[in-house]
Amino acid sequence: GQQLNQSPQSMFIQEGEDVSMNCTSSSIFNTWLWYKQDPGEGPVLLIALYKAGELTSNGRLTAQFGITRKDSFLNISASIPSDVGIYFCAGPKRYYGGSQGNLIFGKGTKLSVKP
Amino acid sequence: DTGVSQDPRHKITKRGQNVTFRCDPISEHNRLYWYRQTLGQGPEFLTYFQNEAQLEKSRLLSDRFSAERPKGSFSTLEIQRTEQGDSAMYLCASSWVRAGTRPWKVGYTFGSGTRLTVV
């Protein structure tokens, strides 16, 4: 089945640093979504990508939909303490004919503040 | 529009008891999904509805789990004879689909989840 592999699993950030994480799959996805989840809350959508090669920004966040449709990355520039949390990539399961179903998630990248 | 609402936020129950969770989706969304999330994992799909029809169930949805969406509005997820392994965050999401584009554009909004602890 379709699976998403996220890396790194965790990383420590210092305020002001840039952060990069990525997501890969052996299957093609037609949509890539990036979510952030804070403890005890549901995931919140950060960026949605719908077209191969698409580069989209949302404030300090930038994400790209890989040209092969099998990968995506998320960059956070000039990190701040509230960027701490778990970031998930996700893509909809594809059905024959182009319809899309439930979301498949990666295992997440956990961002923590450097001690 | 207040987003996707889930109730309760937290539930502690004794092993063997039945529990029921409720999800109120965004009113314009016709699809509703249930996911389960355990510590250190991403959300895992359980089942989804399009309007009132339950279109897909994952293998994770054992026969102790049942979901309904009467009248295509809110949904309930019931777990019978709870086990300690059922302890998890149960997330509900609703989605819109824009079928005129290629590929179809979809947007998914999640609720805050119900944290279930089985003791």
Side-chain angles (χ1 to χ4, degrees):
Chain A
Q2 293 175 289
Q3 286 186 318
L4 295 175
N5 304 303
Q6 258 186 274
S7 65
Q9 280 189 312
S10 63
M11 55 194 311
F12 291 90
I13 57 171
Q14 200 153 40
E15 191 169 349
E17 284 182 342
D18 294 345
V19 169
S20 186
M21 60 191 80
N22 67 68
C23 197
T24 61
S25 174
S26 57
S27 309
I28 286 172
F29 281 84
N30 286 329
T31 299
W32 287 88
L33 305 171
W34 285 93
Y35 285 86
K36 179 176 184 258
Q37 188 173 30
D38 292 325
E41 297 295 327
V44 174
L45 182 67
L46 300 173
I47 292 181
L49 301 160
Y50 296 110
K51 191 176 173 183
E54 181 180 356
L55 184 72
T56 297
S57 292
N58 178 7
R60 295 177 296 104
L61 275 60
T62 302
Q64 184 154 32
F65 190 145
I67 202 77
T68 64
R69 294 194 283 161
K70 293 183 177 181
D71 63 329
S72 176
F73 71 74
L74 175 71
N75 286 343
I76 305 172
S77 63
S79 57
I80 59 178
S82 62
D83 291 334
V84 161
I86 303 178
Y87 291 77
F88 290 100
C89 61
K93 179 178 175 182
R94 290 184 303 122
Y95 296 105
Y96 178 77
S99 67
Q100 303 186 75
N102 59 280
L103 282 181
I104 298 164
F105 281 82
K107 291 190 188 298
T109 293
K110 184 177 181 181
L111 242 57
S112 306
V113 174
K114 260 183 203 170
Chain B
D1 183 0
T2 55
V4 178
S5 299
Q6 289 190 248
D7 184 67
R9 290 294 311 274
H10 303 275
K11 178 73 179 178
I12 300 174
T13 191
K14 289 185 180 176
R15 190 162 52 94
Q17 298 291 305
N18 298 345
V19 293
T20 301
F21 311 139
R22 177 180 169 124
C23 172
D24 286 89
I26 292 172
S27 54
E28 308 85 68
H29 291 183
N30 65 346
R31 289 187 179 181
L32 185 149
Y33 305 79
W34 285 99
Y35 290 81
R36 183 177 73 183
Q37 186 178 25
T38 52
L39 205 61
Q41 301 294 319
E44 296 173 294
F45 169 70
L46 292 177
T47 188
Y48 93 90
F49 293 83
Q50 180 151 311
N51 301 315
E52 64 274 10
Q54 189 172 16
L55 294 189
E56 191 170 344
K57 296 190 235 185
S58 90
R59 286 171 294 176
L60 291 176
L61 208 70
S62 78
D63 56 7
R64 295 184 297 106
F65 287 66
S66 62
E68 294 183 343
R69 193 183 182 198
K71 302 177 186 176
S73 56
F74 71 92
S75 176
T76 57
L77 177 69
E78 182 184 15
I79 309 174
Q80 296 182 323
R81 305 181 303 281
T82 51
E83 300 171 358
Q84 286 189 317
D86 296 332
S87 295
M89 172 81 93
Y90 289 84
L91 292 162
C92 175
S94 66
S95 76
W96 52 264
V97 176
R98 202 164 294 148
T101 56
R102 274 275 182 246
W104 291 14
K105 287 196 174 181
V106 290
Y108 301 79
T109 303
F110 282 81
S112 295
T114 294
R115 167 73 64 190
L116 173 67
T117 303
V118 182
V119 297

